[in-house]
Amino acid sequence: MLEIISRFFDKGQSQRDTGEPVIVTSEYHSLSPKMISRDARKVVEVLQDAGYQAYVVGGAVRDLLLGLKAKDFDVATDAKPAEVKSLFRRSRIIGRRFQIVHVQFSREIIEVTTFRSNENKSNDSRKNHRQQTDSGMLTRDNVFGSLTDDASRRDLTINAMYYDPGDNSIHDFADGLGDIEKRTIRIMGDPATRFREDPVRMLRVVRFAAKLGFTIEPRTGKPMHKLAADLEHVSPPRLFDETLKLFMSGQGLASFWLLHEYGLFERMVPQVGGMIKDTNGLSSKLIQQAFTNTDLRIRAEKRVTPAFIYAALLWPAVQKLAAHYRDRGNSAAYALSKASGEVIAKQISITAIPRRFTLPMREIWDLQLLLPRRGGHRAKRLAEHPRFRAAYDFVLLREQAGEELSGLGDWWTAYQDASEDMQEQMSRRVGDPGSNRKRRNRRKPKPSSTPE
Ligand code: ATP
Ligand code: MG
């Protein structure tokens, strides 16, 4: 396949200037209509039969060309959302900032997007359909356009290829095929302008580079460090969704390093940003190890939860703040609880972590304080805690990252494998660090200020 694609390189170079697509016919690429889901083919067919243009676009074309499985199929068309809706009984228009139509089938939903334009036609009636903030960010984007317009407002060249299953051709607007061959992530248009319009595109650059193992073209990467601060304009729910895509893609560690390189990670998790500058320090090691473990779990098709990942990402900040409150005479439990609450409150103003994840995060942290206190009847009770497993994994993670916990992880591993009699003996034998809780806990907390 790749040799064939390379025959288009020359054309690819010249097409960048004209904005016109190279139409790559079937003998020169590896796609075939049967790679496209039946439902997506049906949507394209119905639209084309009604006289509209329609293509499969975006991630599916990119992934199939790379020999990967397509996650889902998006269709782009010149039919307006209402026109699309009228052609499919089980369909609905969704979104406001960006209207699209969902066509429902029994096995999947096909997302149909009307061609958009990237042009700012500010003195015509379209003005209200496209809104921008002072920083250049798009807040509404419903100006419809031609196929060529649509291609130029897509994020990456490898995402701007349009496949027509009807005649088995690819309309390649910016040498996306060449970039697939060269394994390059290249943004469409002027990088700084495109990142200002939508700072999430910087995260998408990183995500696809990490996921596909591609290199970020230097021109694309150049303005990212400077524009990383623009992430603060992104709404917390959207930023949370994007962080999950980055962290739970199976390439979390690779994503982390790239985010770090471009100064993006520090913007996404600012409370630990300053603490991970030393990549060999305990804080950075803990985060690296959390991503390594998560990636392994995903590859083994084991369950992963954002609660565990965020618990690890924020743990260095929680520990630092808790130490500050302990230094001011508060009990360990009170200091931890106060620190946890404050760290989470700051983080959710950036990435809106839902409560169903912040609650288990706090439980995992609380249990870090309780798991060493395993004498007497405590061990049995702790092992029955609904969050025990996650908290135990978290202890192992801390030890793997190099924290010295006096063999705590091994003790709990042995405990879980032991018979009931053995478990009782183990609990009896262990000195109980919990017994020195006594008065310290009851000491009245001093009013305290937050450290820098
Ligand atoms: P995947 O679904 O595998 O994560 P994808 O490329 O399909 O990857 P989607 O988020 O489903 O990603 O978006 C579909 C297409 O819409 C993309 O391929 C791209 O062409 C375009 N797109 C998505 N987000 C943006 C954005 N922020 N700016 C410009 N174009 C975008
Ligand atoms: Mg997609």
Side-chain angles (χ1 to χ4, degrees), residues 57-60 62-63 71-74 111 204 208:
V57 66
R62 175 197 70 220
D63 290 346
K71 214 176 68 188
D72 45 36
F73 292 91
D74 301 320
E111 223 170 77
R204 290 179 61 91
F208 291 115

Side-chain angles (χ1 to χ4, degrees), residues 174-211:
D175 198 19
L177 281 170
D179 286 336
I180 289 226
E181 154 101 336
K182 285 177 277 180
R183 306 184 72 77
T184 299
I185 299 293
R186 185 158 56 92
I187 189 114
M188 301 282 292
D190 172 56
T193 309
R194 302 307 309 288
F195 294 142
R196 270 193 208 102
E197 277 176 3
D198 181 2
V200 164
R201 287 177 188 145
M202 292 185 275
L203 303 183
R204 290 179 61 91
V205 163
V206 164
R207 176 153 69 90
F208 291 115
K211 175 182 151 177

Side-chain angles (χ1 to χ4, degrees), residues 89-293:
R89 205 166 45 82
R90 293 178 66 198
S91 64
R92 60 196 187 101
I93 298 177
I94 60 158
R96 193 181 129 81
R97 174 179 174 265
F98 197 103
Q99 279 190 346
I100 55 178
V101 182
H102 274 179
V103 184
Q104 177 83 51
F105 290 88
S106 53
R107 279 157 305 174
E108 63 184 327
I109 291 174
I110 303 295
E111 223 170 77
V112 184
T113 316
T114 304
F115 297 153
R116 291 320 196 258
S117 162
N118 211 11
E119 267 161 56
N120 224 346
K121 298 177 175 143
S122 56
N123 54 0
D124 69 13
S125 61
R126 299 174 183 194
K127 193 161 90 182
N128 291 335
H129 297 290
R130 194 164 195 272
Q131 289 171 1
Q132 240 165 340
T133 64
D134 291 344
S135 69
M137 195 168 79
L138 288 178
T139 50
R140 208 163 163 194
D141 192 9
N142 276 328
V143 180
F144 301 124
S146 65
L147 171 61
T148 309
D149 292 337
D150 192 71
S152 66
R153 59 129 211 119
R154 295 208 170 247
D155 56 352
L156 309 176
T157 59
I158 56 167
N159 288 342
M161 288 183 278
Y162 296 71
Y163 177 63
D164 181 347
D167 67 5
N168 198 13
S169 67
I170 297 174
H171 295 231
D172 182 4
F173 281 83
D175 198 19
L177 281 170
D179 286 336
I180 289 226
E181 154 101 336
K182 285 177 277 180
R183 306 184 72 77
T184 299
I185 299 293
R186 185 158 56 92
I187 189 114
M188 301 282 292
D190 172 56
T193 309
R194 302 307 309 288
F195 294 142
R196 270 193 208 102
E197 277 176 3
D198 181 2
V200 164
R201 287 177 188 145
M202 292 185 275
L203 303 183
R204 290 179 61 91
V205 163
V206 164
R207 176 153 69 90
F208 291 115
K211 175 182 151 177
L212 305 173
F214 279 26
T215 307
I216 300 171
E217 177 217 26
R219 194 184 72 103
T220 295
K222 196 161 175 251
M224 290 201 340
H225 214 288
K226 220 171 118 200
L227 293 174
D230 276 27
L231 282 182
E232 74 180 53
H233 303 307
V234 180
S235 79
R238 185 166 179 228
L239 202 52
F240 177 71
D241 285 349
E242 289 300 325
T243 56
L244 289 197
K245 288 185 197 163
L246 281 157
F247 297 160
M248 300 177 67
S249 62
Q251 294 295 343
L253 185 65
S255 300
F256 167 69
W257 283 123
L258 285 171
L259 291 171
H260 187 57
E261 181 182 336
Y262 289 102
L264 293 160
F265 186 82
E266 289 67 8
R267 302 289 170 176
M268 291 156 71
V269 198
Q271 293 177 96
V272 295
M275 301 168 77
I276 57 164
K277 290 222 168 73
D278 171 10
T279 51
N280 284 316
L282 210 53
S283 302
S284 180
K285 283 265 184 261
L286 181 92
I287 289 170
Q288 292 167 41
Q289 193 65 50
F291 282 126
T292 303
N293 295 0

